[in-house]
Every structure is written in C-alpha cells, then in structure tokens.
Amino acid sequence: MRATNRLSASFVKTAPVGKHCDGAGLWLVKREDGGAQWVLRVTVHGRRREMGLGGFPALSLAEVRKQADRWRKMAAAGRDPVKGRQAEERAARREDITLAILTTDAFEARKAELKGDGAAGRWLSPLSLHVLPKLGKVPVTELDQRDIRDTLAPIWHTKADTARKALNRLSIVLRHAAALGLDVDLQATDKAKALLGKTRHKPKNIPAMDWREVPDFYASLEEPTLTHLALRLLILTGVRSGPLRNIRLDQIDSNVWTVPAEAMKGRKGATDDYRVPLSDEAQRVIDLARPHARNGFLFPNTRGGVISDMTLSRHMERRELDARPHGFRTSLRTWLAEVTDAPHEVAEAMLAHVADSGVVRAYRRTDFLEQRSALVQRWADYVIGGTGKVVNVTSAD
C-alpha cells in the first residue's frame, strides 16, 4: 500500500490553500474561504471513484483516517464505496420511521406534482410550523387521533384553513407510510377531525371592487410608476398577482402574453402554458412599462427581483379602499356574468379556471383565445370608457 499518514494535526490546522495528500488516496482540500474538505480517491474495477468524507475541523485527522481505511477495504473487496455508503444511508432512513422522516420522504415523492417542485415550501409549511415541532419524533406506527387532535386543537378555530391543510398533508404522509409497508392507522386523521368538531371559522372572500367602480379607479392610476402600471395591467388581464408581477418581456408576443404552466395557480390537471390575450390598452400599458424593465422582468424591484404583492395591496390600503388587487378577478368575472353573454366555459377561461373533467378537456382542445380576445378588448373599452352596454360575444365564436 502507498505511504499513509503523511500529514500532521498541526499542519492540517494551518494548511495553505490547495490540495494536501495524506497518502493512499486521502486528500485535504483547503479552500480560499478558509474552509477545508476531506476527499478520498479509490479505484474499483479499474474505475476511479472520488468521495467526500466531510469537512475539517468537524472531522479531525484521526477520525477521517478511520473512515478512509474502512472505505479502502470496501474498494479492495471489489465494492464501490460511494454506492455502499448510499445503501447504508437508505437503510438508515428505512429504520427511522418518525413522522419527520416520513414527511420528508412523502414530500420528495410528490415534488413533481407541486408548483416549482415545492420550492416555496407551501406544501410543507402547515406541518413544519404546527405539527412536526410536537410530533416529528413520534414513529408513524404509534401516531393516533388523540396525538393529532391535541396538536391541532390550538389552531383548529383560529387558523382553520391552515389546520385543514395540515390534516390533509398528514393524511398523505400516512398513506405514503402505508405504501412503504408500515402498520399505520389510515383513519387517524378522520378520527381526529371527528374529535375536533366543526370549526367555527368562516372563510372570508377577498374584498372585490364593484365592476361599476373600476373605470374611476383605473382613471386614478395616471402616473407611469411601476405600481400604477402593474395595477392597470392586472385589471385589464384578470390574471393573478403572481404571474403579473413576474411577467417577462420574452413572454410577450404582439397581442398575446404566454404564461408558463408552472407559474399558474389553480389549474390542477392543466399542463399547457396559458395564453393571455392583450387588448390595445394592455399593450399600451406594457409599452409604458418597458423603460422600467430590468433583467428581463417588466416590473422589477430595486433588489434584483420583482415588485411584491404587498406593494400593490398597500397602494389600495393607502387609498382607504376595502378592495384588494386579487379582487379585480371577481370584478371581471361579475362583469362577464352581468353584462355579457359569454358562455360559462369562455368566462371561466378568462380567469384561467380549469372547467369540466379531464376527458372533456382532452376532446375540447381549445383555450377560446379568439373569444377571449374580443372580451378583453371590450372589457378594456369599458374600463377606459365606462360604457355599461351589454356585450354580445356570439359573433366571436
């Protein structure tokens, strides 16, 4: 075997930037930022493998030599130490059946179903904030309805929506555990709900502006600031705040704005990008906003991101308005119902709602772009002109 134990503990503490060999494939890699990493290089079946063992000083020279010797012996026996370590980690996870571990496992299995692979943390947050701090170390096989009831009782009435989501996520985690072959009570969440009783919380709809008042409000947004322009475009398009605030110049092609499917909320079952028709007024607003664009975003903030939803909400708060930006979707939908003869499926498509079953959508392969284009133009004409005449859209079919 090649010479080993070339380094000393004192040298490791003061080692300069670079790579330093302890022998037999064990290296200390000292970085410019002052950190250091232990790396082991071995050869298995003629193939060179490199594996990180840990950082220094968390892993001392004496400790890393013991680890390195173990993995060298595995490589000498013809086994890949990288794969061997991965197998050990998987086995350890299987042995740990606490709720915290199973929650992470269930989340990883469902990331592809979530917006942005769940990076925003919304799927996990009800459990992370209200369940795992109390029950995270409890084995899922021992979890019962009384545990869940006692954990969610403090928020069952005060934060009913969050509690409901937590209960729903717990049910998913338990089903995931059952699929792994663990003996869990799949009815625990339903039993807990029965013990908790009916919630006293009554959900409140987001305040919306009456569609008859929208023209006057729109006229007040006369300054070419990002806030005024963003609110104008929000009103004209009927989209949610998220896609609007994150709109990019490369998503706009003439009179159509294409929102990526992953950026859309509330379109379960829909995988296509969503096309937003732009009225003449909407295109004018976009042109006014172009000088503000930065890093491809039409509505950037000063920190390299985009303007926040609170920026738009606070503007309306300062005006002492009850309505909020999201409520303009309700304003548009009510106008469609009361002033136009738009078919239900077209009106729902105006708000990017997924209507009907997946089978129906599979056969009806249209997003009603032509009809929606006519409607957004007439909505814009109303918003900037205030006409309340009934709009007929059958000619756009």
Side-chain angles (χ1 to χ4, degrees):
M1 179 179 284
R2 292 167 289 172
T4 57
N5 300 347
R6 296 178 181 177
L7 304 179
S8 66
S10 59
F11 174 82
V12 169
K13 290 180 181 179
T14 59
V17 174
K19 298 179 180 179
H20 309 283
C21 183
D22 187 53
L26 178 60
W27 292 78
L28 174 70
V29 181
K30 189 66 176 290
R31 302 189 302 272
E32 292 184 358
D33 62 5
Q37 185 79 14
W38 294 108
V39 176
L40 179 66
R41 296 171 182 168
V42 296
T43 301
V44 185
H45 301 306
R47 181 187 176 195
R48 179 168 156 174
R49 299 289 275 154
E50 185 173 289
M51 60 190 300
L53 300 183
F56 177 84
L59 193 62
S60 69
L61 179 60
E63 292 169 334
V64 78
R65 281 173 176 168
K66 291 179 182 178
Q67 280 198 29
D69 186 54
R70 180 189 175 205
W71 301 123
R72 289 192 198 103
K73 289 178 180 177
M74 183 178 288
R79 294 177 57 203
D80 186 333
V82 175
K83 293 182 178 179
R85 182 169 63 181
Q86 291 172 346
E88 290 181 3
E89 291 173 349
R90 287 195 296 270
R93 284 197 298 271
R94 283 196 295 270
E95 292 173 6
D96 190 341
I97 59 171
T98 59
L99 180 61
I101 292 297
L102 268 297
T103 296
T104 300
D105 202 38
F107 171 68
E108 290 295 326
R110 283 156 181 78
K111 282 173 67 173
E113 304 172 14
L114 306 175
K115 179 181 176 181
D117 285 343
R122 291 176 181 171
W123 194 92
L124 278 174
S125 62
L127 296 179
S128 300
L129 294 174
H130 303 287
V131 177
L132 296 183
K134 295 181 179 179
L135 301 178
K137 295 181 180 179
V138 176
V140 290
T141 52
E142 298 178 14
L143 196 65
D144 64 25
Q145 63 270 24
R146 289 177 292 277
D147 296 323
I148 300 172
R149 176 201 60 190
D150 294 344
T151 300
L152 293 181
I155 64 169
W156 188 245
H157 298 293
T158 58
K159 298 180 179 179
D161 190 53
T162 299
R164 177 187 58 79
K165 290 178 180 178
L167 206 59
N168 173 267
R169 310 291 198 269
L170 266 177
S171 179
I172 292 173
V173 172
L174 290 176
R175 291 200 300 272
H176 183 82
L180 290 172
L182 298 174
D183 185 16
V184 297
D185 183 0
L186 290 175
Q187 303 302 316
T189 51
D190 287 336
K191 295 174 185 175
K193 187 175 182 180
L195 292 175
L196 287 162
K198 187 175 181 180
T199 177
R200 292 191 298 270
H201 174 76
K202 294 182 179 180
K204 296 181 180 179
N205 293 325
I206 295 176
M209 184 177 291
D210 188 294
W211 60 267
R212 298 169 187 82
E213 300 174 3
V214 173
D216 286 341
F217 177 73
Y218 188 90
S220 72
L221 302 171
E222 56 187 0
E223 300 175 12
T225 63
L226 284 180
T227 300
H228 280 207
L229 293 172
L231 281 170
R232 286 195 224 174
L233 196 59
L234 189 74
I235 292 170
L236 293 167
T237 58
V239 299
R240 289 182 170 85
S241 169
L244 187 284
R245 291 181 294 104
N246 287 276
I247 184 174
R248 297 183 59 87
L249 293 174
D250 57 13
Q251 295 173 354
I252 303 168
D253 183 9
S254 185
N255 63 342
V256 175
W257 162 30
T258 302
V259 183
E262 61 270 17
M264 296 298 293
K265 177 184 176 183
R267 285 172 60 79
K268 184 177 180 181
T271 58
D272 296 333
D273 296 340
Y274 178 65
R275 297 190 296 174
V276 181
L278 299 171
S279 62
D280 294 341
E281 174 68 3
Q283 294 175 64
R284 189 181 74 85
V285 171
I286 289 172
D287 288 338
L288 289 173
R290 286 182 187 275
H292 296 285
R294 188 184 307 118
N295 299 325
F297 291 107
L298 191 64
F299 298 119
N301 63 17
T302 57
R303 298 179 299 279
V306 298
I307 59 174
S308 70
D309 191 46
M310 285 305 298
T311 299
L312 306 183
S313 295
R314 286 192 184 114
H315 174 82
M316 301 186 75
E317 288 177 5
R318 286 193 296 269
R319 298 275 297 274
E320 298 183 353
L321 297 170
D322 293 328
R324 290 296 173 263
H326 188 81
F328 288 117
R329 289 168 54 80
T330 300
S331 306
L332 171 58
R333 186 62 181 87
T334 307
W335 176 82
L336 288 167
E338 295 185 358
V339 181
T340 81
D341 63 350
H344 174 76
E345 60 270 23
V346 177
E348 288 296 280
M350 287 282 285
L351 300 184
H353 287 164
V354 176
D356 300 319
S357 68
V359 174
V360 173
R361 293 195 305 273
Y363 283 96
R364 189 194 63 214
R365 296 180 182 178
T366 178
D367 61 359
F368 304 105
L369 183 65
E370 184 178 350
Q371 293 95 322
R372 289 191 293 124
S373 296
L375 285 169
V376 295
Q377 185 59 53
R378 284 158 179 157
W379 169 243
D381 291 343
Y382 166 70
V383 167
I384 62 178
T387 176
K389 66 181 181 180
V390 174
V391 176
N392 184 295
V393 298
T394 53
S395 60
D397 292 345

